[in-house]
């Protein structure tokens, strides 16, 4: 990788002139602090005393028996504060912002999970917080809006474009271009221009680093396979990255096939996307022949993004990680299966990974071990599933 943040030909720094100096400052600030032992110590202390790390690695025996293949271990990011892995990156970037002397943090959010994590860490660190959220998403996720307000953040409703996540990112970048003197833009996944894909990967790598230690102490060897869901791609990169140089460990990403790849209502950018530039990086994008970004769909709001982190485009290209699209229907079945076999209600995003993990476990057979990232808890989705099944 070069200093400009390339992963093969993907990634990079495709931004308008007005953003160049802000992002260069961020690159320099992060390069310095990521080498600073005091920064690492403070972050680790917050991760353990505030966010609840390390999260458990749990052998899901009844789930493994039900599937009849490899032993399945769940990395319990659902037990982290605010209910998902998003807190790892939010804490890292907010602490960075504070150290860089910024007093204000902005963020984009789709369903509201990243907005809530950002509002949370800003309350913790005493930073002013504004979150951009599309009008369509605000209507779908009223409670998360109120949650952010409870935490002291201001929600800015975005009324441009399709009024969803990609438009919120555009608005946040516009804000950042004129306010970066005192403002940090806290991106929620391994997307966007350099340094975000690398920086967010570093903050999320705590997942894979813990898994490595935990597997060695519980099982005494590394797993044969890792499985995670892929929206922007940060929980998966966080799990995969520390195993990059362990060739015996296979990596599997579960994208959202929505109602099916063939019908076009999905969010599977690695499986079905084409190369282009979106939000500052060269990557795989769901777009038409003219480069117009497609409308995407998934039952899991956190997977509903028309592109993917550039490192995934690279890992797929070189064959180091393999990507499969899981339908809404398959994810909902896995949501039930994990709830019934283990007493753990997963986020619908994570349920995509559970479905794929079941397939991979079957292929590995009973002598194998597999780790799946349970990226979040499903309380936020219970209402939606109940409605889909006609219960409410
Ligand atoms: C946001 C979210 C995701 C998707 O984001 P990634 O960047 O792909 O990790 C997955 N699971 C949960 C629970 C989320 O909140």
């Amino acid at each position: 990788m070069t200093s400009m943040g390339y992963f093969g030909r993907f990634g990079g720094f495709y931004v308008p002139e007005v953003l160049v100096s802000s992002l260069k400052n961020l690159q320099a600030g992060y390069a310095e602090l990521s080498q600073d032992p005091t920064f690492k110590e403070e972050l680790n202390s917050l991760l353990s005393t505030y966010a609840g790390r390390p999260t458990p690695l749990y052998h899901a025996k009844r789930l493994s028996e039900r599937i009849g293949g490899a032993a399945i271990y769940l990395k319990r990011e659902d037990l982290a504060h605010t209910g998902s892995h998003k807190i790892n990156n939010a804490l890292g970037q907010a602490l960075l912002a504070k150290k860089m002397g910024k007093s204000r943090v902005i963020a984009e959010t789709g369903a509201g999970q990243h907005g809530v994590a950002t509002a949370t860490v800003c309350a913790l660190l005493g930073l002013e917080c504004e979150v951009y959220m599309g009008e369509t998403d605000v209507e779908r996720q009223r409670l998360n809006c109120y949650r952010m307000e409870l935490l002291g953040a201001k929600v800015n409703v975005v009324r441009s474009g399709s009024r969803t996540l990609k438009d919120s990112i555009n608005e946040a970048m516009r804000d950042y271009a004129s306010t970066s003197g005192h403002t940090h833009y806290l991106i929620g996944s391994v997307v966007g221009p350099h340094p975000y894909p690398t920086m967010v990967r570093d903050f999320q790598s705590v997942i894979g680093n813990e898994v490595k230690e935990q597997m060695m102490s519980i099982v005494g060897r590394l797993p044969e396979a890792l499985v995670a869901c892929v929206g922007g791609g940060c929980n998966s990169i966080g799990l995969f990255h520390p195993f990059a140089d362990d060739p015996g460990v296979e990596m599997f990403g579960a994208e959202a096939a929505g109602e099916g790849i063939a019908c076009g209502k999905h969010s599977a950018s690695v499986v079905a996307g084409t190369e282009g530039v979106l939000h500052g990086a060269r990557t795989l994008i769901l777009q038409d022949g003219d480069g117009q970004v497609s409308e995407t769909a998934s039952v899991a709001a956190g997977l509903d993004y028309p592109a993917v982190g550039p490192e995934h485009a690279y890992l797929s290209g070189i064959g180091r990680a393999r990507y499969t699209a899981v339908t809404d229907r398959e994810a909902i079945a896995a949501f039930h299966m994990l709830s019934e076999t283990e007493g753990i209600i997963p986020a619908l995003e994570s349920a995509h990974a559970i479905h794929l993990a079941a397939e991979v476990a079957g292929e590995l057979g009973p002598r194998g071990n597999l780790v799946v990232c349970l990226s979040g808890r499903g309380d936020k989705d219970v209402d939606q599933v109940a409605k889909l099944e006609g219960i409410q």
Side-chain angles (χ1 to χ4, degrees):
M1 198 191 79
T2 72
S3 61
M4 290 303 280
Y6 277 92
F7 308 92
R9 65 177 183 280
F10 298 103
F13 189 71
Y14 299 84
V15 296
E17 197 57 37
V18 287
L19 277 170
V20 171
S21 69
S22 323
L23 288 166
K24 294 260 176 198
N25 279 336
L26 179 59
Q27 286 167 20
Y30 180 60
E32 191 188 320
L33 279 165
S34 61
Q35 301 305 317
D36 177 350
T38 337
F39 177 76
K40 278 188 197 161
E41 260 167 47
E42 273 180 54
L43 179 56
N44 286 340
S45 154
L46 287 175
L47 285 169
S48 67
T49 60
Y50 185 73
R53 304 208 72 89
T55 58
L57 183 70
Y58 163 72
H59 182 188
K61 291 202 188 75
R62 277 181 29 88
L63 176 69
S64 307
E65 268 166 32
R66 171 81 67 97
I67 286 149
I72 298 175
Y73 290 82
L74 305 175
K75 181 56 173 166
R76 299 288 310 271
E77 293 302 294
D78 60 317
L79 295 178
H81 182 44
T82 70
S84 84
H85 67 290
K86 291 213 166 67
I87 193 82
N88 305 329
N89 168 53
L91 266 177
Q93 283 196 54
L95 192 62
L96 173 73
K98 192 149 183 170
K99 297 274 175 195
M100 286 181 69
K102 313 287 177 184
S103 57
R104 176 175 177 262
V105 164
I106 55 171
E108 80 294 339
T109 198
Q113 298 302 109
H114 174 56
V116 169
T118 303
T120 299
V121 298
C122 287
L124 171 72
L125 297 175
L127 294 159
E128 189 191 336
C129 179
E130 287 186 38
V131 179
Y132 287 90
M133 188 168 182
E135 189 172 38
T136 313
D137 293 328
V138 170
E139 280 159 14
R140 288 191 285 207
Q141 302 287 338
R142 290 225 170 267
L143 207 54
N144 269 342
C145 263
Y146 180 57
R147 237 175 229 130
M148 288 183 258
E149 285 166 6
L150 265 180
L151 294 160
K154 177 167 177 257
V155 179
N156 296 322
V157 181
V158 176
R159 297 197 170 79
S160 54
S162 56
R163 306 174 183 205
T164 57
L165 179 59
K166 77 172 166 43
D167 313 292
S168 306
I169 297 181
N170 291 336
E171 288 301 323
M173 284 194 173
R174 205 160 292 151
D175 178 321
Y176 186 55
S178 61
T179 59
S180 71
H182 66 295
T183 295
H184 173 69
Y185 176 18
L186 206 163
I187 291 188
S189 190
V190 285
V191 301
H194 182 57
Y196 287 103
T198 311
M199 178 169 70
V200 177
R201 179 190 75 192
D202 291 350
F203 289 139
Q204 291 293 1
S205 291
V206 66
I207 300 174
N209 285 327
E210 287 176 5
V211 165
K212 225 172 185 174
E213 271 188 39
Q214 290 166 322
M215 278 304 288
M216 290 315 289
S217 77
I218 301 170
V219 185
R221 62 182 166 102
L222 298 183
E224 278 73 38
L226 304 170
V227 184
C229 65
V230 181
C234 72
N235 84 87
S236 47
I237 282 286
L239 175 64
F240 295 172
H241 184 67
F243 295 87
D245 298 326
D246 297 304
V249 183
E250 289 191 282
M251 301 167 179
F252 298 88
E255 293 196 290
E259 294 176 27
I261 299 292
C263 77
K265 290 184 179 164
H266 63 84
S267 315
S269 2
V270 179
V271 168
T274 51
E275 262 185 70
V277 171
L278 184 68
H279 297 139
R282 170 165 291 276
T283 187
L284 291 169
I285 301 168
L286 294 169
Q287 56 190 338
D288 67 17
D290 299 325
Q292 289 293 315
V293 175
S294 313
E295 294 284 313
T296 53
S298 169
V299 70
L303 302 183
D304 200 348
Y305 176 65
V308 68
E311 192 166 2
H312 286 290
Y314 171 70
L315 291 175
S316 167
I318 63 169
R320 180 65 184 95
R322 277 186 278 164
Y323 299 81
T324 305
V326 173
T327 64
D328 288 351
R329 188 187 289 262
E330 290 167 332
I332 290 171
F335 177 88
H336 284 287
M337 182 170 61
L338 188 66
S339 303
E340 286 164 21
T341 54
E342 298 290 347
I344 299 170
I345 303 175
L348 280 172
E349 292 83 2
S350 322
H352 287 70
I354 298 292
H355 173 84
L356 182 58
E359 283 186 358
V360 175
E363 286 162 22
L364 280 177
R367 278 195 298 276
N369 294 297
L370 167 163
V371 175
V372 54
C373 186
L374 193 67
S375 56
R377 64 173 182 236
D379 308 53
K380 67 181 179 61
D381 300 319
V382 170
D383 210 37
Q384 185 188 351
V385 174
K387 283 199 181 96
L388 281 171
E389 295 180 343
I391 290 162
Q392 258 185 6

